[in-house]
Amino acid sequence: MSIGHALLGLLESGPRHGYDLKRAFDSAFGQGRSLHYGQVYATMSRLLKNGLVEVEGIEPGEGPERKRYAITDAGITDVARWLEQPEKPEPYLQSTLYTKVVLALLTGRPAAGLLDTQRAEHLRLMRELTRRKQDGDLADQLICDHALFHLEADLRWLELTAARLDELAGAVRGGEGG
């Protein structure tokens, strides 16, 4: 996710302080991973330097002065351009899990056990996401569905790999499978 673009998009509804941006981000996107204040201020500093936001005002606070950020026309254009660009599909051709399976086979370790352990972890996470989805609002349901669909694809790959483990072992030990 582009944190900068998300913060710019949040600013389109009106100027905000860094603290308000963090709360709005966490509310809209932070399920399971909230934004750190340091990320907000570092990102806002970069956006300011690039002319995508401006400081609309500075107010005294209990601690440091609070800057109120507003999006510029260039920032609005940048968000619009970003939203129009399709995301590059992630082909997962450099899968850590595949690497672990191949290394297990090359080193004589039990790759089937690795696949079983990974399958159990995927199923555990799927149960957790399903519970979260049942209790969540629409946004939470959609993000959980996205994760669940990816986990289902991973499970299919785990099953396929387990079924072809002997063939893969022969290929990698013969120098063909890397």
Side-chain angles (χ1 to χ4, degrees), residues 1-63:
M1 167 190 285
S2 170
I3 293 171
H5 287 111
L7 294 176
L8 283 171
L10 291 171
L11 283 172
E12 282 200 45
S13 64
R16 299 178 190 228
H17 297 101
Y19 176 80
D20 297 330
L21 281 168
K22 182 215 178 321
R23 284 194 352 214
F25 181 96
D26 289 351
S27 175
F29 314 111
Q31 298 89 352
R33 194 192 88 160
S34 62
L35 198 58
H36 297 285
Y37 286 106
Q39 283 180 285
V40 172
Y41 294 111
T43 302
M44 295 312 295
S45 177
R46 183 177 40 80
L47 295 172
L48 185 63
K49 177 181 168 190
N50 293 335
L52 302 176
V53 298
E54 60 191 8
V55 176
E56 183 182 73
I58 299 176
E59 302 169 7
E62 291 180 17

Side-chain angles (χ1 to χ4, degrees), residues 69-83:
Y69 297 98
I71 191 168
T72 63
D73 288 340
I76 292 169
T77 300
D78 194 59
V79 170
R81 192 176 305 123
W82 179 71
L83 289 172

